[in-house]
Amino acid sequence: MIPLARPLIGARERAAVLDVLDSGQLAQGPRVATFEHAFATLCGVQHAVAVSSGTAALHTALAALGIGPGDEVVTTPFTFVATANAILMQGATPRFADIEPETFTLDPAAVEQAITARTKAILAVDLFGHPYLRELDELAQRHGIPLIEDACQAVGAHRDGVPAGALGTLAAFSFYATKNMTTGEGGMLTTSDEQLADRARRFRHHGQSARYTYESMGYNYRMTDLQAALGLVQLEQLSAWNEQRRTNARALTAALSGLPGIVLPREREGARHVYHQYTIRVTAGQAIRDAIQRYLAEHGVTTAVFYPRPLHLQPHFVSLGYQEGAFPEAERAAQEVLSLPVHPALTPDDLHTITSVFRQAMEECA
Ligand SMILES: *Cc1c(COP(=O)(O)O)cnc(C)c1O
């Protein structure tokens, strides 16, 4: 079975983790500091604050901006639930805006419509590894509101030469096991604003400004040195892995282009997509898409639907009052998308299997 993701853990990762175990310094320590420096350099920002997950990074970003009850944050309904939950964690209200169908990221025109007097931030997701659209930067500036980048799927991406992590006011990354680089669980917040970075560091450590001085609300969102040691070794390989993802994506596109009934992923001019997922559309809709997915599974190819139901139609978000039909592009995407394996551990044989089985699946099911 060809998996959809596979964490790449080698001898150097093992040695780095064993070193930490032998050092006696297991919690946040010098390796976290080194990892933060290296990550800030990757993103071209002044500050990186390591935390325990991507969700913690998003929550910390919203808290650092002082977003709370009564505030609204405009975001996408076509994302992982953590994006919107981070807004709820601060007692604020998510306001959804529809997506742009080619990149699956927020549609700037829809965001503009969703902005109200209560809007305190835009939370844009670099979905599947494609940076959010540049018109959002101009929009955020014009409205004088910060833009938080959910870059959990986009480590190493950039747009117009600016790395993910530096596109907005603050950004959040995830190092969950299936992401483009991993620390098992883990996350990072990036910003070039010193005051926001200070607030983020306090927030991850019980709101402490100095030892046993509690300045403000906080959590235990710290990363361990074990995770940071793993992250440092992963970071060195990230650019080669992302290049391999891009090469694999090109191979999939070359082998599938011209096939009727599907739409292949595209990269916007100026954008560097890092293909956390290689996500196609099956335009005949959900029943055919699901049949193709079953056929692929029966023939050794794992795929996934990210995401089968947009957030505004989930039970958890019913109280926000959105109805079916509110975000037609997000709803259509949920019925059409299918992510094929693109990870750097795929062999040329795997890629050939994926595309030839996919062609058979289209003939059998479509
Ligand atoms: C993975 C992910 C998160 C959450 O990250 P965790 O590390 O799992 O908490 C948030 N947003 C998006 C878009 C993600 O893909």
Side-chain angles (χ1 to χ4, degrees), residues 53-55 58 79-80 82-83 125 150 152-153 174 176 179 186 307:
S53 70
T55 310
L58 285 167
T79 181
F80 183 55
T83 310
V125 181
D150 180 340
C152 286
Q153 302 185 356
S174 167
Y176 180 67
K179 299 284 156 80
Y307 297 91

